Amino acid sequence: MACMIEAVGVHRVRAAEEPLLAAGVPLMERAAAAIAARAAQVLRGRQGAVRGAVVVVLVGPGNNGGDGLHAAARLARRGARVTVVQLGDRVHEGGLAAADAAGVAVRRAGAGPEALGLPGAARLALDADLLVDALLGIGATGALRGDAARLVRQLLAADHRPFVLAVDVPSGIGVGDGTVPGPVLPADLTLACGALAPGLLLPPAAGHAPHVELVDLDLDVPAAQPGDVGGPAEGLDAVHRLQDADVPGAWPVPRPSDDKYRRGVVGVVAGTATYPGAAVLTVGAAVRSGAGMVRYVGPAEPAAAVLAAHPEVVPGSGRVQAWVLGPGVDPEDGEQARHVQEALGEAGLGSRGYFAPTGVWGPTADAGIRPVVVDAGALAALPERCAPWVVLTPHAGELARLLGERGETLVREDIEAEPYRWARRACDLTGATVLLKGATTVVVGPGGTFSQAEAPAWLATAGAGDVLAGLLGTLLAARAEEAVQHPGLVVRLAALAALVHGRAATTANPGGPVSASMLVEALPRTIARLITREER
Ligand SMILES: NC(=O)C1=CN([C@@H]2O[C@H](COP(=O)(O)OP(=O)(O)OC[C@H]3O[C@@H](n4cnc5c(N)ncnc54)[C@H](OP(=O)(O)O)[C@@H]3O)[C@@H](O)[C@H]2O)[C@H](O)CC1
Ligand SMILES: [K+]
């Protein structure tokens, strides 16, 4: 818990700023001082010196522009050749005065007698050693508009851009939801002022801010628990991201007194005669991530393949602590569909209805309820309402289908454009915890929101999802009783699975191609390194 990154909903940042601003604390000057210092460091690293380096600061109408103007003044005082390009009619007055006093040239973009014109502004920006994006921050609504949008489009069309430093956020991202509603200049470095906005962790916007550093402004943002979920009016309260250093505290390391049952038995319903590989991979991931025992339930052909690959597996149904359902399962396959239904029954779904349709936490779950991972073919078998200990693990196409069956008209691209929104929608509609697979994995549950970005692009490979499902099954089995009681734990374990999954790909073959089988192989040593904190 201790090390995870927290992105803070915009309303919470504003609430934390308010008393400080009222007390006259110069937050903007503090932010600008840190931005200028970091910019100077970048210039020294890239150009050898700040003096004489060419800096262009794109400035918008609000306080984000104010940060940029104050930072411009400080850089000019250090000898940089700074030009501010003002987009729009308004500009932060205090910031403008500071820039003027430091001798910074402030030029308007767009039309007008003294204006640079957009092509002129673009040329100036592209010729800089450092381009500072202070167009919009957390006050942005919708896509960049007007000349700012037109200028950014021109910069995006250029073959080469200078190093871009974004103030607080890359301007124009959906700060609260991670969308990219219009043109956005990708930032080489983003300096988040006071707190990270959710959009810096959520895809696709997070892809425009691959390197984020926090400028600490001593804001007293009350800690949000992972269970906190913002209401629709306020937007997202918090997004969390686990770090490697969180793994030792979160991973269920067995105690000397634990036997195989106490460590957690995972039941797997996966694979068919046509897709035996899914069964082998799912079971293999569960075994190799440290399940006390794995039971495999399925037809003879995949069962034989599973046992040949993993002789420690126990075939057939029996008592388990968590189920993994669906990898490689054809929803039309009568026998596997029946196994899925039986396991869903053990998760308390169907007749017993532990989660009220209002979204209110239902009666205390009894000791017989099992957490369950619902993947691939089993997603079609879900009842209307689930519970937080049911973790759905769709990719974008499967989530589009799942929501389509619940009245939304969507295609995969809609999900990819707004992954948080649609994962949240699926969570609200079903009551389940939803792990949406992607380059960045988003986990949204009644227990909070996480985003994990460890996966290298090589991990987009057949069978990788089966491995994730098996790995998550082991985690849920190890902490089954707590998981049923605490939705916050479920969402955290799902994020933990995504982190370890991504790291295993790098362990398997750092910087190169990886197959799902290699991933399974790499799990034990990846976990060992993470829990002993040797991997950095
Ligand atoms: N977090 C902190 O402790 C501190 C942050 N600071 C910086 O302040 C900004 C937030 O400043 P704010 O003035 O609230 O908002 P912005 O600068 O982001 O922009 C608001 C103005 O931009 C206009 N706007 C809004 N959306 C668009 C758009 N899509 N295209 C063009 N223009 C847009 C908006 O105009 P309206 O007509 O909509 O009102 C506003 O004029 C934060 O990000 C930090 O950088 C402070 O330094 C204090 C400490
Ligand atoms: K910005």
Side-chain angles (χ1 to χ4, degrees), residues 412-514:
R412 162 188 277 271
E413 288 73 18
D414 298 319
I415 306 284
E416 286 166 347
E418 299 181 273
Y420 168 72
R421 174 183 174 188
W422 294 115
R424 163 63 57 203
R425 182 84 181 124
C427 166
D428 291 345
L429 283 172
T430 62
T433 297
V434 179
L435 181 155
L436 174 57
K437 293 181 281 206
T440 294
T441 290
V442 177
V443 189
V444 177
T449 300
F450 280 73
S451 154
Q452 298 298 140
E454 292 72 21
W458 295 106
L459 194 48
T461 184
D466 306 340
V467 176
L468 179 65
L471 165 58
L472 178 53
T474 291
L475 287 173
L476 290 171
R479 306 195 57 185
E481 275 185 35
E482 288 165 90
V484 169
Q485 298 294 338
H486 303 293
L489 176 61
V490 178
V491 77
R492 203 158 72 238
L493 291 176
L496 180 62
L499 181 155
V500 173
H501 189 245
R503 290 285 181 241
T506 305
T507 306
N509 190 21
V514 63

Side-chain angles (χ1 to χ4, degrees), residues 64 133-137 166-171:
N64 192 255
D133 167 7
L135 289 170
L136 284 180
V167 175
D168 207 12
V169 294
S171 301

Side-chain angles (χ1 to χ4, degrees), residues 86-88 109-111 118 135 144-153:
Q86 177 188 334
L87 279 298
L118 285 181
L135 289 170
L144 272 178
R145 297 189 292 264
D147 281 345
R150 282 187 278 276
L151 177 62
V152 169
R153 277 204 192 91

Side-chain angles (χ1 to χ4, degrees), residues 164-170 187-192 200 208-214:
V164 175
L165 187 161
V167 175
D168 207 12
V169 294
D188 297 291
L189 173 63
T190 300
L191 297 179
L200 293 178
H208 289 71
H211 301 289
V212 180
E213 293 174 13
L214 177 67

